[in-house]
Amino acid sequence: EDLVMIRPFTLDPFQAEVPEADLEELRTRLAGARWPERETVDDWSQGVPLDYLREVAEYWRTAHDWRRAERDLNSLDQFVTDIEGHSIHFIHARSPHAEALPIVITHGWPGSVLEFQRVIAPLVDPTQHGGEASDAFHVVCPSLPGFGFSSKPTAAGTGVPEIAEMWTTLMERLGYERWVAQGGDWGSAVTTAIGRLATAADGAHGCVGIHLNMPVAAPTPEAMSDPSPADQAAMAAFMHYQEVESGYSKQQSTRPQTLGYGLTDSPVGQLAWILEKFQAWTDCDGHPENAIDRDVILDIVAHYWLTASAASSARLYWESFASFSPGPRVEIPTGVAAFPHEIIRAPRSWCDEAFEITHWTDMPRGGHFAALEQPELFVEDLRDCFRALR
């Protein structure tokens, strides 16, 4: 008989501990920043306004507390494990409720696992947060390869399909035979890819359902020939993204290495590159701090800076930007939370062609960073979506 070699693996506990010298260097670089002249307009149409960026950079230098962010993260159980040569960092928050449903939640760019800190506790222990024990989840939040405390790929070939396989391996390692997946942005692409793996496996895959807060789907033939108001709005939003908002993605998907030098060398550059997206993609009435607290924004920016993840995170665009194009239909149950200020808002009629939609919520408010902007709505929708799969 052929002997199948099973590779041993470990799940090693992890705590974030940034050296104090790195924080001192950050403050020194912020103090010595070299600034351009002011923009020639009175809005954000040329990018982040100079006066605001200087204010936030000075706050980062003098008032932001990375050690507090670190303590918050370290209050959660974290691990690293080697999957296909990648050291993958993940949060693993187990529920006290025996019948909890395992869920893997995937972040995007410019996000991180820090996005989910306000939703983990209500998902894990709903009885302490206005819910029922029957809605509990075991929550797994991995850091994408090249992001945060996961390792940076050293060779080409780590894209969305590979990550979907890696997350499948991770859930198997954690002993979860039946689980669900959630994601927005890159997390939406990875979660969709997991849904396609499960579809192809026809019941032999552990994932039994997915939930997306940025589903990607192509216009239907009807939308192209006789567009409804919803079709017209979706296509107008996509055109706006293509013409005005997508410069970052063109650069990151074509020349991530060139971009990485500036962002890895300048904390002000890294701050501006990310801060712009928190203004453009949130439901914030023009100012990012109307949607997300300044300290939370800086927690995420600092996470990129302190792990020097600018180039490696951008490289995922080079690897897999085409993965946002529609592919084979996902035939397992799919839930969608449609937030009004999402970057690209595919109507349900488009998504019905691409996914087996079993749950759809048109959200009253919120944008791209769903778990950060509207944690209560996010949690409630996950509970509602997956109730039928328990």
Side-chain angles (χ1 to χ4, degrees), residues 18-361:
V18 169
E20 187 62 32
D22 291 3
L23 300 176
E24 286 292 338
E25 186 207 18
L26 167 60
R27 288 187 280 269
T28 299
R29 285 174 179 265
L30 287 167
R34 184 170 178 241
W35 298 92
E37 69 286 350
R38 188 186 181 280
E39 63 282 0
T40 57
V41 292
D42 292 323
D43 57 24
W44 286 64
S45 62
Q46 292 181 2
V48 186
L50 175 65
D51 290 347
Y52 177 58
L53 191 66
R54 293 192 75 147
E55 176 191 330
V56 177
E58 182 63 8
Y59 183 92
W60 191 9
R61 186 180 74 83
T62 61
H64 178 256
D65 184 1
W66 171 256
R67 295 300 183 205
R68 184 263 315 146
E70 229 173 36
R71 285 193 300 275
D72 290 347
L73 182 60
N74 289 339
S75 70
L76 298 163
D77 289 333
Q78 302 166 81
F79 301 86
V80 291
T81 190
D82 186 280
I83 306 176
E84 301 298 329
H86 303 276
S87 176
I88 298 298
H89 163 264
F90 62 98
I91 295 166
H92 186 203
R94 282 190 60 83
S95 174
H97 302 290
E99 300 305 312
L101 178 65
I103 185 170
V104 58
I105 305 179
T106 309
H107 66 87
W109 183 93
S112 82
V113 294
L114 303 184
E115 283 180 70
F116 306 124
Q117 287 176 298
R118 290 171 67 188
V119 302
I120 289 172
L123 289 171
V124 165
D125 196 358
T127 58
Q128 298 297 310
H129 298 85
E132 303 293 328
S134 57
D135 285 329
F137 293 89
H138 298 305
V139 177
V140 180
C141 299
S143 295
L144 290 164
F147 288 71
F149 296 112
S150 284
S151 65
K152 301 171 172 67
T154 56
T158 305
V160 163
E162 291 79 16
I163 296 168
E165 297 274 12
M166 291 161 69
W167 281 193
T168 300
T169 299
L170 176 61
M171 296 302 275
E172 289 171 353
R173 284 187 186 179
L174 294 175
Y176 296 136
E177 296 177 1
R178 187 177 184 278
W179 46 277
V180 295
Q182 199 287 328
D185 195 85
W186 282 111
S188 174
V190 170
T191 301
T192 298
I194 291 171
R196 289 183 182 136
L197 288 176
T199 298
D202 194 22
H205 192 279
C207 184
V208 296
I210 65 171
H211 180 281
L212 307 171
N213 55 281
M214 194 188 84
V216 176
T220 62
E222 295 77 17
M224 300 301 288
S225 62
D226 185 19
S228 69
D231 296 327
Q232 292 172 347
M235 288 189 267
F238 182 71
M239 287 303 297
H240 173 79
Y241 172 78
Q242 288 287 82
E243 293 173 5
V244 178
E245 298 290 349
S246 65
Y248 78 99
S249 63
K250 191 67 174 175
Q251 183 67 24
Q252 295 194 154
S253 60
T254 58
R255 298 293 185 269
Q257 191 69 21
T258 303
L259 172 69
Y261 297 117
L263 300 189
T264 305
D265 189 56
S266 167
V268 167
Q270 181 70 89
L271 173 61
W273 193 248
I274 291 178
L275 190 56
E276 179 190 287
K277 300 311 168 201
F278 279 107
Q279 190 271 344
W281 296 348
T282 56
D283 187 358
C284 69
D285 196 27
H287 197 290
E289 293 176 41
N290 290 335
I292 303 172
D293 183 81
R294 178 181 293 186
D295 280 300
V296 175
I297 294 173
L298 286 171
D299 290 350
I300 291 173
V301 175
H303 195 206
Y304 278 81
W305 172 260
L306 293 167
T307 57
S309 295
S312 54
S313 62
R315 212 169 280 125
L316 184 53
Y317 287 75
W318 183 90
E319 290 278 2
S320 275
F321 201 52
S323 68
F324 286 110
S325 302
R329 189 173 193 269
V330 173
E331 304 285 357
I332 66 169
T334 301
V336 171
F339 287 87
H341 285 263
E342 183 53 88
I343 304 169
I344 297 167
R345 300 180 295 280
R348 173 150 190 182
S349 58
W350 302 10
C351 291
D352 276 326
E353 297 297 311
F355 302 93
E356 183 61 31
I357 302 292
T358 54
H359 172 92
W360 183 283
T361 307

